Amino acid sequence: MARAQRGSPFAVAARSPLLWLAAGLMIGQGIGGSRWAVPRGARAAAAALGCGCLALARARPAGWALLAAALGFQQAHRALQPPTDPEHVARYAGRTVWLRALVAEPAVRSQQSTRVVLEALAVGRGGGQRVRGRVLLTVAKPRRNWALGAVVEGPLRLRRPRNFGNPGEFDYEGYLARREIFVTAFLYSDEAVAERVGRGPSRVQALRERIGTAFRSRLESPQREILAALVLGDRGGISQELREKFAIAGVSHLLAISGLHVGMVWAGAFFGSWWLLGRSRTLLLRWGLPRLCAAASFGPVLGYAALAGWGVATQRAVLMLAVVVVAVVVERQRDALLAVAAAALAIGAVWPASVLEVSFQLSFVSVIGLLLGMTRFWFWWRSYSERRLLFLRPRLRAVLRVLLGSLAVTVCAQAATAPLTAFHFNRVSWVGVVANPLVVPLLGTAGVGFGLVAAVGALFGEPLFAPASAVAGAAVKAGVAIAVWLAGIPGADWRVPTPSLAELVLAYALLGALACLHGRRRGAVCGLALVLLAGDFAAAARARWWRPALQVSFLSVGQGDCAVVRFPGSAVMVVDGGGLVGIDVGERVIAPYLWREKIGRVDFVVLTHPQYDHYGGLGFLARQFAPREFWHTGEGSEAPSYLGFRAVLEERGVRDWIVRAGLSRSVGRCSVSILGPPARRERLATNDASVALRIECGAASVLLPGDMERAGEQEVIRAGAPLRSRVLKVPHHGSATSSSGAFLDRVRPQIAVVSAGFENRFGFPDPRVLAALQTRGARTFVTAEDGAVTVDAGEGGALRVRTWRSRRSVLVRPGG
């Protein structure tokens, strides 16, 4: 490995076992806490590895890293397993129970729904049976306040958290498990929930409500919502449109309480303490002022964290700052990377698998990027100042130092976090380099600072609240205006495909070489990383634009339909887009899959019929993936969600094509035939008038009949349409009103895929439909159990079926 630059923070820290222990623990916890398939006996293997590493620990730092990795793997793997305690509420998952529970955290409100974390107390009416554990309740149409500390009870259908099972999806199961939540529930309305006398809101919660009321009464929107987010950690009132603007401008991190806000409060308290304590000659003589101020400034940080709701991200930021404060107190602040490593160890010990949290990754990567990047910048600045004799012109030198230093801070933070933002959010904001130096002082410094002063004024007196809230509101208004203006610049951010883990490693190897190495070593490492990245991009481009054969992926979108068809060449078609209450399926499920497959544009969007479980996710695809054509039956809906989707299509200039039976198109060496609806469909219901597609590409044939039921099936049979297909998307989610014997006899599928939600209230797929498919020799896959189902056409007419949840792989040959 190339040697680090002498005197750099990395060169100093690399000699300490602490850095190796932290790196090993994070890697081990990342693997142990992920949802990758862990082979049987992994715990024993990790324990054996840890014991074997003891022999290496004294010999080399890698031994410490391996030992920490083994321990971290076991720690994270064990922490994410569902509890086996008989008194835990998780034992009732899959059942409807009468639950009595305490509102344990402030409700998180959004425009779509309200989420509440409950601490279970008892199951059953009256006294019931005592239970423990946390439940995440989502309410689509809330009618009550869900105040912190209230005791509520009512009927809930408890479920285990469950990922959809698609490639590239967010690990929601792991996210909740890291918060000790292993049970969820959903209510469309909370009218049946009764509230009992509880312990009532705590003093801190009462203060939060009082401050929030004061903000709402004196400030306009969106200043009051932004200040509530900055001071109280309540982001529920911020509109989705404004959140998107902040994301485009690259300043969305300001809306969530994080290390930036905690650090700002500590810095303000530090300099305030310095001004106050520095007036005492006794303190100056007997104590080191930096150490005293660092310790004294931690109290306001704890108060701010409590006022902000003590979220998990806030707790991690406070713990990380506590490690830094200890380093200052013991006069080891120069060992900055070691302080970061110590903070990572502390957080990993308290919250196993925190390394998988996006906020943790962004916080630590930005801090490390600033430490390494700014060390390189100041080395260059000293050299530049000496060559240009800037020390002879002190005013010019001071101005340039401030301007270039501020720009360097932003560039270092943006460069360090860009690969991760591309990986997690599929966007890179180039205007963030301009937006952050302008918006952070307004929102992160003035907004937080004067917002906290206004919060104190809201509790103790109007003379303090009025001017402080006015200044805070003005700062927030200016910051929002700048962010919105920059977000309006065409191409302000780039939507990018999801980088692979290999691409992430190479990107950070390139950045690390630029920051830590010099001379020929830096050139060699950068050159090698660039060559490998170029080779990786070439392979990805070949797979995306020169696909040799047909591929169809049936995504798991809950109780809905979505199929992604990739034709030979580069054309992509999305048939239906799912739809769930409280979640944008297009943004959360379909788009991550497309970005993972390096798909940035969809050529054809097909809506089989205008029902929400089929069009709900298409609006996001229309906005972000620039479709060329929209295929549909011509039937519409007056639902606001559907009208909004059609408005996006018109705004983007998408070509509209109303399809009818008998039409056909040639796409990527494949024939796409329209089998339904018929030209005269007045007597058919919406489901029976679904768009029915048959795709034939060589020996591969796929039938996508939408939600067609028996009447529609009979209409297609009567028309003499060519139904024989090797792959069938089972109509209407496997309902007993579909998949008639005559229809299945005409199709004679080898592979049948049912798109249905897990434990859906309709009982789909119907056992009789599954039995009929089995009788006819079809291999049946259900997205609720198997996750996404991908069918690849291979050589000789063979079809390879892969499932992403059950991890099955089946090869089906013609006639097999």
Side-chain angles (χ1 to χ4, degrees):
M1 179 183 291
R3 191 169 53 192
Q5 178 185 342
R6 182 177 301 175
S8 71
F10 183 80
V12 174
R15 294 191 288 267
S16 171
L18 189 62
L19 182 64
W20 295 90
L21 283 171
L25 184 71
M26 295 296 102
I27 293 173
Q29 288 192 352
I31 297 174
S34 69
R35 291 290 163 182
W36 299 343
V38 179
R40 200 174 285 181
R43 291 188 185 183
L49 177 62
C51 293
C53 292
L54 290 174
L56 298 172
R58 294 185 179 180
R60 59 187 64 184
W64 291 107
L66 290 173
L67 175 62
L71 295 176
F73 175 89
Q74 288 210 48
Q75 182 188 28
H77 189 65
R78 183 170 54 252
L80 298 185
Q81 299 306 306
T84 58
D85 183 355
E87 291 188 355
H88 200 280
V89 70
R91 65 176 291 203
Y92 295 95
R95 297 161 56 182
T96 299
V97 300
W98 186 271
L99 182 70
R100 188 181 188 194
L102 176 76
V103 179
E105 294 183 7
V108 178
R109 297 173 176 84
S110 66
Q111 294 178 329
Q112 292 83 16
S113 59
T114 291
R115 292 189 302 167
V116 189
V117 176
L118 305 175
E119 185 68 38
L121 301 176
V123 168
R125 294 179 181 270
Q129 182 175 349
R130 184 177 178 181
V131 295
R132 66 174 190 85
R134 308 180 112 201
V135 178
L136 177 63
L137 173 63
T138 301
V139 185
K141 301 293 182 181
R143 295 179 177 272
R144 62 177 61 257
N145 189 29
W146 294 99
L148 183 68
V151 174
V152 296
E153 61 181 15
L156 292 180
R157 174 74 176 178
L158 303 181
R159 294 187 177 188
R160 287 281 176 87
R162 186 179 176 86
N163 294 338
F164 285 98
N166 298 305
E169 71 180 353
F170 175 66
D171 182 12
Y172 191 58
E173 287 182 62
Y175 171 81
L176 293 182
R178 290 189 291 272
R179 287 152 180 78
E180 299 182 348
I181 298 175
F182 297 93
V183 184
T184 63
F186 174 82
L187 289 175
Y188 188 80
S189 172
D190 53 12
E191 290 181 341
V193 177
E195 185 169 337
R196 302 292 179 236
V197 177
R199 67 186 184 192
S202 64
R203 291 184 179 180
V204 174
Q205 180 63 18
L207 293 178
R208 285 168 52 87
E209 293 178 357
R210 185 173 174 183
I211 294 169
T213 301
F215 284 162
R216 289 190 293 272
S217 63
R218 295 297 299 270
L219 297 172
E220 298 179 352
S221 183
Q223 291 94 300
R224 60 192 178 202
E225 290 84 6
I226 298 292
L227 276 179
L230 297 176
V231 177
L232 305 176
D234 182 7
R235 296 184 294 167
I238 303 176
S239 68
Q240 187 62 37
E241 180 183 2
L242 185 58
R243 294 183 191 221
E244 180 66 15
K245 296 290 186 183
F246 270 62
I248 294 174
V251 293
S252 57
H253 58 93
L254 292 172
L255 300 179
I257 304 295
S258 63
L260 173 66
H261 304 77
V262 172
M264 290 285 188
V265 172
W266 180 79
F270 180 88
F271 289 113
S273 301
W274 188 288
W275 176 81
L276 181 64
L277 300 178
R279 297 174 176 273
S280 171
R281 181 176 301 178
T282 302
L283 293 176
L284 287 173
L285 293 175
R286 299 190 60 179
W287 300 90
L289 196 56
R291 293 187 295 167
L292 193 61
C293 291
S297 304
F298 198 66
V301 169
L302 293 176
Y304 174 59
L307 189 64
W310 271 114
V312 175
T314 306
Q315 295 176 38
R316 285 199 298 264
V318 170
L319 181 56
M320 184 176 178
L321 180 62
V323 174
V324 175
V325 169
V326 171
V328 174
V329 171
V330 299
E331 297 184 329
R332 295 294 299 272
Q333 60 267 35
R334 292 183 180 273
D335 300 331
L337 272 182
L338 291 183
V340 173
L345 282 173
I347 291 174
V350 178
W351 296 283
S354 289
V355 67
L356 296 173
E357 294 282 336
V358 178
S359 59
F360 175 93
Q361 296 173 14
L362 292 175
S363 296
F364 273 79
V365 164
S366 61
V367 170
I368 294 172
L370 287 172
L371 289 175
L372 298 180
M374 293 308 294
T375 299
R376 169 70 70 177
F377 170 78
W378 293 125
F379 178 81
W380 168 85
W381 171 253
R382 287 191 294 269
S383 176
Y384 178 82
S385 299
E386 292 173 0
R387 288 199 311 269
R388 298 300 182 100
L389 300 178
L390 290 180
F391 56 86
L392 298 178
R393 291 176 286 178
R395 291 186 178 180
L396 176 61
R397 185 185 185 190
V399 172
L400 285 178
R401 177 187 172 96
V402 172
L403 293 178
L404 294 179
S406 300
L407 181 62
V409 166
T410 304
V411 169
C412 289
Q414 291 285 109
T417 56
L420 281 178
T421 55
F423 182 79
H424 291 294
F425 307 112
N426 299 99
R427 67 193 327 157
V428 175
S429 173
W430 65 266
V431 298
V433 177
V434 179
N436 276 278
L438 298 176
V439 179
V440 169
L442 291 170
L443 267 64
T445 303
V448 172
F450 285 98
L452 287 173
V453 174
V456 174
L459 302 177
F460 297 104
E462 179 69 19
L464 181 61
F465 175 77
S469 62
V471 174
V476 168
K477 185 176 182 179
V480 170
I482 293 172
V484 170
W485 179 74
L486 290 173
I489 298 176
D493 76 333
W494 302 317
R495 281 291 191 178
V496 296
T498 306
S500 65
L501 291 177
E503 291 164 353
L504 275 183
V505 171
L506 290 172
Y508 279 113
L510 181 63
L511 292 174
L514 291 173
C516 298
L517 303 179
H518 61 99
R520 294 181 178 178
R521 293 186 178 92
R522 179 172 61 179
V525 174
C526 290
L528 178 61
L530 289 174
V531 168
L532 293 175
L533 280 172
D536 180 86
F537 291 157
R542 181 180 182 276
R544 169 65 183 93
W545 298 103
W546 291 277
R547 169 165 290 279
L550 178 71
Q551 180 191 80
V552 182
S553 293
F554 301 91
L555 300 187
S556 175
V557 292
Q559 189 57 34
D561 268 10
C562 179
V564 178
V565 184
R566 303 181 68 182
F567 294 93
S570 63
V572 176
M573 173 186 288
V574 175
V575 182
D576 289 332
L580 294 172
V581 177
I583 176 176
D584 189 332
V585 174
E587 181 179 8
R588 301 290 181 86
V589 181
I590 306 173
Y593 168 78
L594 296 174
W595 282 321
R596 179 187 181 273
E597 297 297 312
K598 312 297 186 187
I599 298 173
R601 176 167 185 169
V602 171
D603 298 277
F604 309 98
V605 169
V606 181
L607 175 61
T608 59
H609 59 294
Q611 291 182 350
Y612 186 72
D613 61 327
H614 290 255
Y615 72 75
L618 294 181
F620 186 83
L621 300 188
R623 287 192 298 271
Q624 297 296 336
F625 289 87
R628 292 193 292 114
E629 296 185 15
F630 173 53
W631 300 6
H632 63 113
T633 65
E635 182 181 0
S637 169
E638 295 302 318
S641 54
Y642 181 81
L643 297 177
F645 161 57
R646 292 307 304 268
V648 173
L649 291 176
E650 293 180 9
E651 178 185 343
R652 297 293 192 273
V654 180
R655 180 190 172 193
D656 193 87
W657 190 34
I658 298 177
V659 301
R660 290 289 183 269
L663 301 177
S664 65
R665 293 282 292 273
S666 179
V667 181
R669 304 197 310 272
C670 297
S671 173
V672 182
S673 302
I674 311 297
L675 307 185
R680 300 186 63 180
R681 57 182 181 84
E682 293 79 8
R683 64 183 182 278
L684 294 178
T686 298
N687 281 354
D688 290 308
S690 295
V691 173
L693 303 178
R694 183 178 182 273
I695 302 171
E696 186 172 7
C697 196
S701 52
V702 182
L703 180 60
L704 306 172
D707 272 3
M708 190 177 289
E709 299 184 72
R710 292 181 185 271
E713 293 172 357
Q714 290 300 319
E715 187 71 29
V716 172
I717 293 173
R718 194 163 32 245
L723 292 175
R724 177 70 185 275
S725 302
R726 297 178 63 192
V727 181
L728 170 67
K729 198 288 295 184
V730 178
H732 200 206
H733 319 289
S735 165
T737 60
S738 301
S739 303
S740 62
F743 179 77
L744 295 181
D745 288 338
R746 291 288 297 271
V747 179
R748 295 173 61 188
Q750 291 179 289
I751 300 166
V753 180
V754 181
S755 182
F758 181 69
E759 293 183 351
N760 63 84
R761 60 191 178 94
F762 306 104
F764 297 158
D766 191 278
R768 290 168 290 181
V769 172
L770 297 179
L773 290 167
Q774 183 179 10
T775 300
R776 289 163 175 82
R779 302 193 183 191
T780 306
F781 303 86
V782 183
T783 58
E785 302 294 338
D786 295 303
V789 180
T790 298
V791 182
D792 287 286
E795 297 181 0
L799 298 178
R800 170 72 67 180
V801 184
R802 293 171 293 150
T803 64
W804 293 93
R805 174 182 291 281
S806 58
R807 300 189 180 276
R808 288 195 286 167
S809 180
V810 178
L811 184 65
V812 180
R813 301 189 181 279

